[in-house]
Structures are given as C-alpha cells and as structure tokens.
Amino acid sequence: MENKCNKYEAYFIFKSDEDFLNHVANCPDCQVEHEKMQKVSSLISEVRPYFLAEKQRKNKIKQTLKAACFTFALMLFAIGAPVLNYQYDIVNSIVYHNLSAQEMGFPTDEYGLIMVE
C-alpha cells in the first residue's frame, strides 16, 4: 500500500503561502486535495449572494414590522391623548376650582344638591 501525503492541512494552516504553494506544486496528493478545496471554495462563492439576499429580505421584514408597531403606538397615543386631556380637565375643574353642581349644569334643588327624579 502506497503512503499518501497528509501534510496538506498542516501546510495550509501553519506554513507561509509560499511554502504551501511550493509543497502543493511538488506533491501530487496535495494537488488533488487543493483542487477539491478550490472547487468547494468556488461553490461557496457562487452560493453566497443567495444567502445574503435571504438575510437582507429578513432584515427588511423586521424593519417593516418595527415601523408598523411604531406607527400603531403613535396612533394609539394620538387617539388616547385627547381623551386623557378631556378627563383631566373634568377632574381638574372639579377638584381645584370647586365648581358646584349647579355651575356644572346638573339639576339641583334649593340647597344646591343634585336632584334625582
């Protein structure tokens, strides 16, 4: 059985590019391994834009959802603010200005108490 060279990985990781390429040029086993690695690298380069497009699509969906939530919250605040101010005005006029029931427009008796029919 013939011994195969198993130095491809060690040269690829630990040696300089020049030493690695010299070894690949002189070793037929490492040449075959290098060709396989180049094919895999080219396939990865070819498929990469599809993964980037998918990631960008997901980011766009997230941004759209965030914008929709922000708009919804802003609408709730815009609708809720006048109601809160109206309620605040009623409480403020009753508590701080001491308006009587007659001044507020309720039907009252001669003592100023609200009449209930």
Side-chain angles (χ1 to χ4, degrees), residues 62-73:
K62 286 180 185 176
Q63 290 175 347
T64 304
L65 287 174
K66 288 178 185 176
C69 289
F70 178 74
T71 305
F72 183 70

Side-chain angles (χ1 to χ4, degrees), residues 62-116:
K62 286 180 185 176
Q63 290 175 347
T64 304
L65 287 174
K66 288 178 185 176
C69 289
F70 178 74
T71 305
F72 183 70
L74 192 61
M75 285 177 21
L76 285 178
F77 178 74
I79 292 170
V83 172
L84 293 175
N85 286 339
Y86 178 71
Q87 291 172 349
Y88 176 76
D89 288 342
I90 292 173
V91 170
N92 192 20
S93 64
I94 293 171
V95 173
Y96 295 110
H97 297 293
N98 295 328
L99 295 177
S100 65
Q102 189 175 16
E103 290 173 338
M104 288 189 291
F106 293 114
T108 57
D109 60 4
E110 65 264 7
Y111 300 108
L113 301 174
I114 298 174
M115 279 193 333
V116 178

Side-chain angles (χ1 to χ4, degrees), residues 44-60:
I44 291 172
S45 310
E46 186 178 328
V47 175
R48 186 172 183 219
Y50 297 110
F51 285 110
L52 290 177
E54 180 70 19
K55 186 176 181 182
Q56 289 172 349
R57 186 180 66 81
K58 287 181 181 178
N59 284 342
K60 190 171 186 176

